[in-house]
Amino acid sequence: MSAPNIETIVSLSKRRGFVFPASDIYGGLGSSWDYGPLGVELANNIKQSWWRWLVHERDDVEGLDSSIIQNRLVWKYSGHETTFSDPLVDCRTCKGRFREDKLRDVECPNEPGVCAGSGKECSLTEARQFNLMFRTTIGPVSSDDDPASLAYLRPETAQGIFINFKNVLDTSRRKLPFGIAQIGKSFRNEVTPGNFIFRTREFEQMEMEYFCRADDAARIHQEWIDDFWKWFESLGIKPENLKLYEQGPDELAHYAVRCVDILYKFFPEREEGQAQFDELMGIANRTDFDLKTHSKKPEDADGKRLNPDSTEDLSYFDPTTNERFYPYCIEPAAGVNRTVLAVLMDAYTEKTNDKGETRVILKLTPDLAPIKVAVLPLAKNKPEIVAMAKGLKKELLPSMRTVYDDTGGIGKLYARQDEIGTPFCVTVDHESLVDDAVTVRDRDTWEQERVKVAELKEYLLKRLYT
Ligand code: ATP
């Protein structure tokens, strides 16, 4: 089987209810997607895995959930109002509009394969900067041209963390090094959204700001790069589909001293090489820029970043050394949607059954699978079997997400569960009424085992989580 590409996943997602095109009954809305019943479970399981691993299992990270709409001054001092832009180019031939730095990734919407910077016909204008922040207005009497009511939807969750640094520090009584983690929606008016949920205008981020002393920053940065690589592997993402990318000096944001991206092979159908890979997450050493820029009149030698609007000094006092300084910050920033896509691509496999039919098996880790167990009656016209199967489902439900399905022959029911990644099917048959046992079928091997009903819950929990 060749590697599944994004199209394979789009078709599975629509067919089985992972992801649907947004506003579909009104003709859709370009590059917007809704998560269906299975997709929302998968995305939630990914977010929970991240939160558990980062906030609960470690002892140095606090959680936060800050507002999407903040005071406009946040975006003034973070630099987003002036610098959060992409270079926009227009093509005079096809009238297409593209992001100059991503030309290799796009196809001309009007004449595929002709323009988009790749063909002879292409005639691109000079690039101009296009600010990606979505604008909105606040209050019932606001008008679009009233600067006092102008606000933005956040383009990243990070700034909500920086402006709460002192609140978290004071209330948690943390000492350096420590982190603040946040998961939430971000919005960017992308010039060229596309490739399913890879690049959308509304998306979800899992970000952490890890504050430390400047001397420790380089070492801690490297540790987070290594740790996040391992976290992606724990989600079932294959290491051969991941790659590290060290940003060059001309690519680095002006405040960063080092940034390493973890790339995933989102585009296996492209010509072998770098173009097959694109960003899954970025891990940056942002220096002390952010805490300084949001601080009331920070003492900067160049004097350019004085902030007369902030009411707080976000510096840190170390009582053991009697020093006051602005901590450095390491930022691992991952996208929920891109992680969902990478997980689905690596879980997708095909297998041929005895009848020569191709079956899709979604080999999600048990932790991520939207449904853990399906209870299936072998004969739906036998009330005792149906009652026993429904009773088992009820018993298992509080410990693991379980569904009951009797809407087809057993082969069809198994195939349906394989395709959505359910690790185990439990079948109740005629024999079950006599021996009080059921058949447990493994999604990946299709092997079946007879298990006593009294031991079923423990058996499944052990196989799911150890
Ligand atoms: P790109 O270069 O692909 O535009 P970026 O470097 O601007 O991404 P960051 O600002 O580092 O992205 O955001 C962190 C993460 O958020 C990215 O690694 C990605 O997973 C996710 N992300 C960013 N923009 C989008 C988007 N438009 N749609 C979906 N996910 C996104």
Side-chain angles (χ1 to χ4, degrees):
M1 185 198 115
S2 59
N5 59 20
I6 290 183
E7 283 314 311
T8 323
I9 303 302
V10 174
S11 133
L12 172 74
S13 295
K14 287 189 199 165
R15 192 168 69 243
R16 298 313 316 274
F18 282 93
V19 182
F20 305 121
S23 305
D24 206 22
I25 64 166
Y26 288 107
L29 173 69
S31 302
S32 294
W33 302 90
D34 294 339
Y35 282 77
L38 298 177
V40 67
E41 294 291 339
L42 175 58
N44 280 344
N45 290 343
I46 288 172
K47 288 186 273 184
Q48 275 161 20
S49 161
W50 187 87
W51 194 267
R52 202 172 50 233
W53 173 71
L54 205 59
V55 183
H56 292 181
E57 290 175 10
R58 295 177 61 100
D59 197 23
D60 56 354
V61 180
E62 299 285 348
L64 181 79
D65 187 7
S66 68
S67 293
I68 286 175
I69 298 176
Q70 301 276 1
N71 189 313
R72 186 184 154 190
L73 291 168
V74 170
W75 309 108
K76 172 178 170 181
Y77 286 101
S78 67
H80 283 78
E81 272 197 334
T82 45
T83 60
F84 196 65
S85 48
D86 277 341
L88 180 73
V89 290
D90 291 298
C91 176
R92 295 183 192 93
T93 316
C94 73
K95 311 292 179 224
R97 182 158 274 188
F98 310 105
R99 201 171 131 179
E100 192 190 35
D101 59 331
K102 297 275 179 187
L103 277 175
R104 63 144 212 248
D105 298 341
V106 294
E107 286 240 312
C108 168
N110 302 333
E111 297 184 51
V114 175
C115 289
S118 55
K120 290 187 221 88
E121 309 299 322
C122 163
S123 165
L124 298 174
T125 60
E126 285 286 298
R128 60 203 157 85
Q129 292 301 320
F130 170 72
N131 195 292
L132 300 183
M133 282 197 292
F134 272 98
R135 297 154 76 100
T136 186
T137 50
I138 292 179
V141 292
S142 62
S143 76
D144 284 357
D145 44 18
D146 174 10
S149 63
L150 175 62
Y152 302 102
L153 303 188
R154 70 178 173 203
E156 60 175 33
T157 67
Q159 297 304 320
I161 297 179
F162 296 125
I163 58 173
N164 275 294
F165 173 74
K166 195 165 184 309
N167 289 337
V168 176
L169 185 68
D170 289 350
T171 51
S172 68
R173 314 193 76 77
R174 287 278 178 189
K175 301 270 175 287
L176 291 184
F178 74 96
I180 305 177
Q182 164 156 246
I183 299 177
K185 287 252 168 128
S186 292
F187 304 81
R188 297 181 188 177
N189 202 357
E190 296 275 3
V191 177
T192 47
N195 290 315
F196 190 39
I197 52 175
F198 176 80
R199 188 180 300 285
T200 50
R201 294 193 170 101
E202 173 182 341
F203 56 96
E204 219 169 353
Q205 292 186 305
M206 302 177 279
E207 295 198 293
M208 178 183 57
E209 304 303 330
Y210 195 81
F211 301 98
C212 60
R213 299 180 74 97
D215 293 349
D216 298 328
R219 172 185 55 80
I220 289 175
H221 188 193
Q222 188 55 48
E223 285 170 7
W224 280 118
I225 296 166
D226 299 342
D227 284 358
F228 271 97
W229 180 287
K230 286 188 213 131
W231 180 71
F232 282 123
E233 280 193 71
S234 80
L235 302 183
I237 296 179
K238 298 174 188 140
E240 63 267 28
N241 290 339
L242 291 172
K243 202 183 231 184
L244 290 181
Y245 176 76
E246 183 90 35
Q247 287 193 9
D250 51 335
E251 294 169 285
L252 279 178
H254 63 95
Y255 47 74
V257 287
R258 186 182 176 214
C259 184
V260 175
D261 294 336
I262 299 183
L263 312 181
Y264 175 78
K265 201 174 184 178
F266 284 108
F267 307 100
E269 72 282 8
R270 285 186 184 158
E271 220 167 280
E272 193 90 0
Q274 188 70 12
Q276 295 182 321
F277 290 79
D278 213 326
E279 183 178 328
L280 179 57
M281 88 175 290
I283 307 166
N285 177 344
R286 298 177 67 117
T287 69
D288 56 3
F289 171 81
D290 303 279
L291 293 180
K292 259 186 180 169
T293 195
H294 286 303
S295 282
K296 179 181 173 181
K297 298 193 174 113
E299 289 161 27
D300 229 25
D302 60 14
K304 280 187 196 140
R305 282 199 248 123
L306 288 181
N307 182 338
D309 293 314
S310 168
T311 58
E312 273 299 348
D313 176 26
L314 303 179
S315 62
Y316 174 86
F317 180 71
D318 186 337
T320 54
T321 59
N322 271 338
E323 286 170 285
R324 181 168 284 285
F325 58 93
Y326 294 97
Y328 264 43
C329 182
I330 308 301
E331 178 190 79
V336 173
N337 315 68
R338 289 187 194 180
T339 308
V340 167
L341 185 55
V343 161
L344 284 172
M345 287 177 79
D346 267 0
Y348 187 97
T349 57
E350 288 176 0
K351 187 167 167 174
T352 309
N353 67 11
D354 317 342
K355 296 181 197 146
E357 298 158 336
T358 303
R359 295 277 182 239
V360 173
I361 306 182
L362 204 57
K363 294 192 175 175
L364 295 170
T365 63
D367 194 34
L368 297 191
I371 295 165
K372 313 298 182 201
V373 177
V375 186
L376 316 170
L378 197 67
K380 75 167 175 178
N381 50 5
K382 181 110 179 154
E384 298 94 313
I385 291 182
V386 168
M388 185 172 175
K390 286 186 174 167
L392 280 178
K393 173 197 152 179
K394 224 171 166 184
E395 234 176 274
L396 294 175
L397 260 181
S399 315
M400 61 202 89
R401 179 124 201 271
T402 308
V403 295
Y404 167 88
D405 192 1
D406 65 7
T407 57
I410 196 72
K412 196 166 164 200
L413 297 181
Y414 283 151
R416 199 180 276 167
Q417 295 301 327
D418 286 347
E419 203 181 26
I420 61 171
T422 306
F424 296 107
C425 287
V426 169
T427 308
V428 180
D429 53 28
H430 295 89
E431 197 57 29
S432 305
L433 302 174
V434 183
D435 67 358
D436 222 14
V438 287
T439 301
V440 177
R441 173 186 176 273
D442 182 298
R443 174 196 68 198
D444 300 343
T445 60
W446 292 352
E447 273 168 18
Q448 307 198 357
E449 207 175 323
R450 201 79 184 157
V451 179
K452 285 276 174 207
V453 166
E455 291 152 20
L456 183 64
K457 191 167 98 185
E458 286 315 309
Y459 171 92
L460 289 169
L461 282 174
K462 199 163 159 211
R463 292 207 50 194
L464 282 166
Y465 298 116
T466 50

